[in-house]
Amino acid sequence: MLNTGIAFHGRNIGLFVFFLLLFRAWPLWAAGTSIQFEEIARTGVTPIPGDSGAFTIFAAPPAIDDEGNVAFIAGSSSQAGIYTANGICCQKVADLSTPVPGGGTFRFSSGDTFDIDGGRVAFTAEGRDGSSSTNGVWSNVGQSSPNTLVEVALIDGVEWVEGGEPWVDGEVVAMSGVRTIPDQHQTILRWNGLTRSRSYVDPGTGYVMGNPQASISGSAAIFDRYDAQSGQMGVMSGGQFDVLAVKDVTKMPGLGPTRFSKFYDYPLVDWSGQDALFMGYGLSLIHI
């Protein structure tokens, strides 16, 4: 955990310099592409917002949105938090002194996940209040100020027994997880930051959802679903599930008779369902 400082003991961090860099290329379609790197933050140099020291470590892979805004988890031996570089670096979203909605303060680890869109962030973190703690997803999406944090969902074993890896699309945060209401099942939460209203993606009558990343775009969500007969990868939009591939039926492009036999997690959707990307596996038998 970053807040314990254990990751820094026994090492001379001064021997290492870590950069957070943003790559830009103009134009991508022309010969002689111009490549430019922009430094976001550097260990030992970039001040930690709201703290007296500089960053000494970046603890997780950063995230970037279409506007070039960056979110990252970083800190020092005494501080940790999630920060953004919206235009310039850095802005604090939350650190160890930030109050958790409902009580306590945040704790961060290198295993926390987050996403950014339009400069606003949703992230997983632990909320600790005395000897009790709970994990959850928190966000400033749709709030009047980027310093206003609200609860998206608590992974406390009551309503949600699993969940995380938030996805931000405009004013909406999505999260996949295992929900216990009305019974225990895999689902995708769609949380509207402006109204704090919730809706859930239904895999369809007779189907159960796989374990997807909560990738959404507009009204579209992508996931794999299963019933007693088959498994399908597809896009759900407006209650309509458009099948992209069927397990053991759909042929894999360019591989002759080989068919998809497995779909993997982390499918992606964009342009309100017009573009989709997923990983699949097929077993090709060779007869001698």
Side-chain angles (χ1 to χ4, degrees):
M1 300 287 289
L2 269 178
N3 54 290
T4 64
I6 292 175
F8 309 104
H9 289 173
R11 298 188 182 206
N12 185 349
I13 294 296
L15 294 177
F16 302 91
V17 177
F18 298 95
F19 291 86
L20 191 62
L21 298 173
L22 177 64
F23 160 80
R24 297 180 185 274
W26 296 279
L28 289 175
W29 59 87
T33 300
S34 175
I35 297 174
Q36 181 176 337
F37 289 99
E38 176 185 341
E39 180 181 311
I40 302 298
R42 187 193 309 181
T43 57
V45 174
T46 305
I48 301 176
D51 191 67
S52 58
F55 292 116
T56 59
I57 193 169
F58 302 112
I64 189 170
D65 65 17
D66 291 341
E67 301 169 11
N69 301 311
V70 175
F72 59 97
I73 291 179
S76 65
S77 59
S78 60
Q79 185 58 279
I82 182 165
Y83 305 90
T84 56
N86 294 338
I88 60 173
C89 194
C90 303
Q91 302 86 36
K92 181 184 78 172
V93 178
D95 64 15
L96 301 182
S97 63
T98 301
V100 175
T105 53
F106 285 108
R107 294 295 183 269
F108 299 90
S109 75
S110 59
D112 288 328
T113 57
F114 48 93
D115 192 31
I116 184 171
D117 189 38
R120 295 301 181 96
V121 175
F123 61 94
T124 61
E126 177 188 6
R128 186 174 297 178
D129 190 0
S131 60
S132 64
S133 65
T134 187
N135 292 306
V137 176
W138 321 88
S139 183
N140 58 10
V141 168
Q143 307 311 300
S144 58
S145 166
N147 296 320
T148 301
L149 293 175
V150 292
E151 171 195 312
V152 175
L154 292 181
I155 317 302
D156 57 4
V158 180
E159 179 181 1
W160 295 90
V161 294
E162 291 181 24
E165 298 189 357
W167 183 278
V168 183
D169 181 61
E171 305 296 345
V172 175
V173 175
M175 179 194 79
S176 64
V178 178
R179 188 171 181 245
T180 61
I181 300 172
D183 50 28
Q184 188 161 308
H185 62 287
Q186 185 81 28
T187 187
I188 295 175
L189 165 68
R190 295 173 57 93
W191 177 87
N192 189 307
L194 289 175
T195 61
R196 304 192 194 179
S197 58
R198 299 176 174 218
S199 60
Y200 304 91
V201 178
D202 183 358
T205 303
Y207 287 93
V208 295
M209 189 179 291
N211 296 283
Q213 177 184 14
S215 174
I216 63 170
S217 179
S219 63
I222 186 171
F223 57 89
D224 55 331
R225 68 180 192 177
Y226 298 87
D227 64 6
Q229 286 75 42
S230 69
Q232 303 171 342
M233 174 66 72
V235 175
M236 179 72 78
S237 181
Q240 172 85 23
F241 188 77
D242 294 323
V243 177
L244 301 176
V246 179
K247 180 178 177 289
D248 299 325
V249 174
T250 305
K251 292 182 178 180
M252 302 186 77
L255 294 176
T258 304
R259 290 170 167 78
F260 288 103
S261 58
K262 182 178 181 180
F263 302 120
Y264 290 91
D265 297 344
Y266 306 106
L268 301 174
V269 67
D270 202 0
W271 293 100
S272 297
Q274 298 303 304
D275 291 340
L277 175 70
F278 66 92
M279 294 189 294
Y281 170 85
L283 180 63
S284 179
L285 299 178
I286 301 176
H287 299 278
I288 299 177

